Amino acid sequence: MRLAATVLCLGVLFAAPFAEASTTQYTVRNRRIEPNQPLAVALQEAGLPVEQAGAVISALEGVFDFRKSRVGDQFRLVMKGGELDFFDYRQSSVDEWQVRRDGDKFVGSKRAIEVEKQVGLVSLEINNSLYEAALAAGEDPLIGMVLADVFAWDIDFYRDVRKGDRARALVEKFVSKGRILRYGEVLAATYEGESVGHKRVFRYEMPDGRASYFQEDGSSARKAFLKSPLKYAHVTSRFGSRFHPVLQYVKAHNGVDYAATVGTPVWAVADGTVTVAHNTGAGGNTVCLRHTNGFETCYLHLSKFGAGVRAGARVSQKQVIALSGNTGRSTGPHLHYALKRNGAYVNPLNQNFPRTEPLPKNLLPDFRAKLAPLAQQLDAVSVAAVGAQK
């Protein structure tokens, strides 16, 4: 929706670029970038004269990469007596550019946003969903995706979550003006669940700079395979015989279907080599990977292949290999995921893969020393919660 308003020297949306007498009139025009609309065209369609639109573009050259302009980006024109006085362009809470009048010329710059990194405790109790639990705790719902990443080897955050489950995490938070912009690394986390039991992991940086997650005894939190090829999605069709919705007869379903909107990132469940990366007809756009110990995985009905994903390419666990879609013989957007062992299809949902190599023994003393304060902070939350219930 396009807006236009006349205001009397009020503070503007993203900053306060002027402070003059209260009788000065300004016209403020708020707009968004439309599909196939370059910024120069958007400025002119917002009513900015051609020469002033050119001046804005010139002021931003070398400051803003116009190729990164996206549909939905916000911009605002502050007009004074029909002349541009101020322009700002916003992509996110931390990505904003401005053009200010300086005498007879315009000067462009990227607005400096103060961002503070904090380490905070997140404590969630799940009554309905992880999403609602995050909101109830005053957290950004994205914390659910962060936890799904940390526990990806042990917990499927759609199938395994039960009412009354609890999650706690010591996590980095990037904050601006008291608002969480994003989450960083999870330093330690616990999950207490009815179906998965008690899980507890700690982030540890190896001497070579690589970081991974380990359990308290030094065993790896990682497994050879993830529990799901999606961070968070629910199963709509399980492994086994079923009535095929398109072919209209009972047919073996050699995989698992996950509900996923078109464009959902699909990650490799394990390290492997790409054997298939093309349209296979009924399967639509398909990626298949060959793994160790005779395992193979396939991902069907994709909308797009990941960067560099082609036959012969090596991929790593958690690498985004494609985006989900609705191609091939499909009744709606979803991901079909199949797992083979020694050439035969097996049920992906009932596999129990071993953990990867534990922490080397010579690193255990350092690991225990570093996890001790993290464990103490996690336990403090638990003790406080128990005390509150008494």
Side-chain angles (χ1 to χ4, degrees):
M1 180 175 66
R2 298 189 172 186
L3 306 172
T6 301
V7 296
L8 295 177
C9 196
L10 298 177
V12 291
L13 182 61
F14 304 136
F18 49 80
E20 299 181 7
S22 59
T23 56
T24 304
Q25 285 192 330
Y26 292 87
T27 300
V28 180
R29 300 169 188 165
N30 296 302
R31 300 287 190 270
R32 292 183 183 273
I33 298 295
E34 305 291 342
N36 302 314
Q37 187 185 50
L39 179 57
V41 174
L43 291 172
Q44 293 177 44
E45 292 186 354
L48 195 64
V50 175
E51 64 278 6
Q52 292 187 39
V56 169
I57 298 299
S58 296
L60 288 173
E61 287 181 353
V63 177
F64 174 64
D65 186 349
F66 298 102
R67 294 172 298 178
K68 295 182 179 180
S69 181
R70 301 190 298 251
V71 174
D73 286 354
Q74 305 172 56
F75 68 91
R76 182 185 48 162
L77 303 171
V78 179
M79 309 295 292
K80 177 183 176 183
E83 296 288 325
L84 179 67
D85 189 71
F86 179 80
F87 165 86
D88 58 7
Y89 187 95
R90 183 176 185 178
Q91 283 192 327
S92 71
S93 55
V94 294
D95 291 308
E96 182 183 330
W97 293 264
Q98 301 174 334
V99 175
R100 297 171 180 268
R101 179 181 287 276
D102 183 11
D104 295 331
K105 63 180 182 178
F106 290 99
V107 179
S109 63
K110 183 172 183 179
R111 184 182 173 200
I113 306 292
E114 291 187 7
V115 179
E116 179 185 3
K117 184 173 79 170
Q118 303 174 352
V119 175
L121 283 161
V122 173
S123 186
L124 308 179
E125 181 174 355
I126 301 168
N127 292 313
N128 293 304
S129 69
L130 197 61
Y131 180 91
E132 292 181 12
L135 292 179
E139 299 289 338
D140 190 302
L142 285 176
I143 190 62
M145 302 296 282
V146 175
L147 291 175
D149 197 2
V150 172
F151 290 110
W153 298 276
D154 288 303
I155 304 173
D156 181 325
F157 273 85
Y158 188 88
R159 293 194 310 122
D160 297 336
V161 173
R162 301 289 186 272
K163 183 177 180 179
D165 287 3
R166 294 174 179 271
R168 299 189 301 277
L170 193 63
V171 61
E172 295 174 342
K173 298 180 180 182
F174 291 86
V175 180
S176 178
K177 297 180 180 179
R179 186 164 60 89
I180 297 173
L181 301 178
R182 64 181 178 86
Y183 294 98
E185 301 291 351
V186 174
L187 306 181
T190 65
Y191 191 92
E192 299 169 14
E194 178 185 331
S195 67
V196 299
H198 182 74
K199 306 295 180 184
R200 189 174 174 97
V201 298
F202 298 87
R203 185 178 186 272
Y204 180 71
E205 189 171 308
M206 311 287 277
D208 62 4
R210 290 181 299 112
S212 190
Y213 286 95
F214 296 90
Q215 301 180 94
E216 279 185 289
D217 62 358
S219 59
S220 178
R222 295 171 58 95
K223 291 184 178 181
F225 283 71
L226 303 175
K227 290 203 72 174
S228 169
L230 300 169
K231 279 193 178 184
Y232 185 78
H234 70 275
V235 174
T236 56
S237 185
R238 295 176 179 272
F239 183 87
S241 297
R242 67 164 184 173
F243 183 78
H244 197 282
V246 176
L247 300 179
Q248 296 293 298
Y249 62 81
V250 176
K251 184 178 183 295
H253 189 234
N254 296 320
V256 175
D257 288 348
Y258 292 90
T261 56
V262 174
T264 301
V266 177
W267 56 14
V269 296
D271 296 346
T273 301
V274 179
T275 57
V276 174
H278 58 254
N279 191 292
T280 59
N285 294 329
T286 299
V287 171
C288 291
L289 307 176
R290 183 177 64 249
H291 311 283
T292 58
N293 300 322
F295 283 102
E296 181 183 5
T297 56
C298 287
Y299 315 77
L300 283 65
H301 308 303
L302 307 167
S303 62
K304 186 178 180 181
F305 301 121
V309 175
R310 58 185 179 279
R314 290 282 301 171
V315 297
S316 57
Q317 189 180 65
K318 288 191 177 183
Q319 178 179 333
V320 175
I321 56 172
L323 302 180
S324 66
N326 188 28
T327 58
R329 190 183 294 154
S330 172
T331 58
H334 75 287
L335 172 71
H336 177 87
Y337 168 58
L339 174 67
K340 285 183 180 181
R341 185 171 191 176
N342 298 324
Y345 287 104
V346 294
N347 187 348
L349 300 181
N350 63 10
Q351 302 301 307
N352 187 17
F353 294 103
R355 297 194 182 276
T356 55
E357 290 296 316
L359 200 64
K361 290 184 178 180
N362 65 307
L363 295 178
L364 283 175
D366 182 62
F367 171 68
R368 290 178 181 132
K370 289 179 177 176
L371 76 80
L374 302 179
Q376 186 176 19
Q377 292 181 69
L378 286 177
D379 291 338
V381 177
S382 181
V383 170
V386 171
Q389 293 173 0
K390 292 182 178 179

